[in-house]
Amino acid sequence: MDKAEFEQWMEVTRSSRHRWVEDEVTRLNGRGALYYMGGENGLFIKIGTDGVLRAGTYEGALPHMGEAVFTVKAEKKFDSWEQAYQQALEAGGIKFLMDMFSYDEREQPVISM
């Protein structure tokens, strides 16, 4: 990762200080969905492809969520990903809903390996 990519990722991480953000990398890699809020340290909701919903806290997302340490505070298995997502929407309330369906122009960079 070069300096420009680092700065771009830091901007994505900073953008989550006051709003829920989806980690596109998790979804694009076929690992379910990860939503987070809080910047470097905050809250997360993760839905596995197996329908397991996890929620808790994370720390150390520098420069991005791939570097964070997650602490699961609650976990529940649903029959499907869709049911788990519905529960996440209900638990997150109006703030989560508004953040998920509002546009944010910050694009998460693709890092070549």
Side-chain angles (χ1 to χ4, degrees):
M1 174 181 311
D2 65 24
K3 184 176 171 96
E5 289 171 325
F6 182 88
E7 287 300 322
Q8 196 173 6
W9 272 118
M10 285 301 301
E11 181 59 28
V12 170
T13 300
R14 281 190 289 270
S15 76
S16 74
R17 283 188 183 146
H18 304 291
R19 67 183 310 270
W20 286 97
V21 174
E22 178 188 14
D23 180 54
E24 295 174 16
V25 174
T26 300
R27 179 176 38 83
L28 293 173
N29 285 331
R31 295 189 315 235
L34 172 63
Y35 308 99
Y36 61 95
M37 179 174 72
E40 180 183 342
N41 306 302
L43 306 173
F44 79 91
I45 298 171
K46 182 166 181 16
I47 306 168
T49 57
D50 57 357
V52 175
L53 174 64
R54 293 178 179 90
T57 59
Y58 69 87
E59 295 179 347
L62 286 174
H64 56 73
M65 288 307 291
E67 304 299 326
V69 175
F70 296 88
T71 303
V72 176
K73 304 283 186 173
E75 179 176 306
K76 184 172 181 180
K77 170 78 169 115
F78 290 87
D79 291 335
S80 68
W81 188 94
E82 291 78 11
Q83 287 178 346
Y85 185 69
Q86 179 65 37
Q87 182 61 50
L89 290 174
E90 291 174 17
I94 192 73
K95 170 80 172 131
F96 185 78
L97 264 173
M98 294 293 290
D99 290 349
M100 286 300 93
F101 295 106
S102 63
Y103 176 74
D104 183 359
E105 70 281 351
R106 289 177 197 85
E107 187 175 317
Q108 295 180 16
V110 176
I111 298 174
S112 304
M113 301 263 185

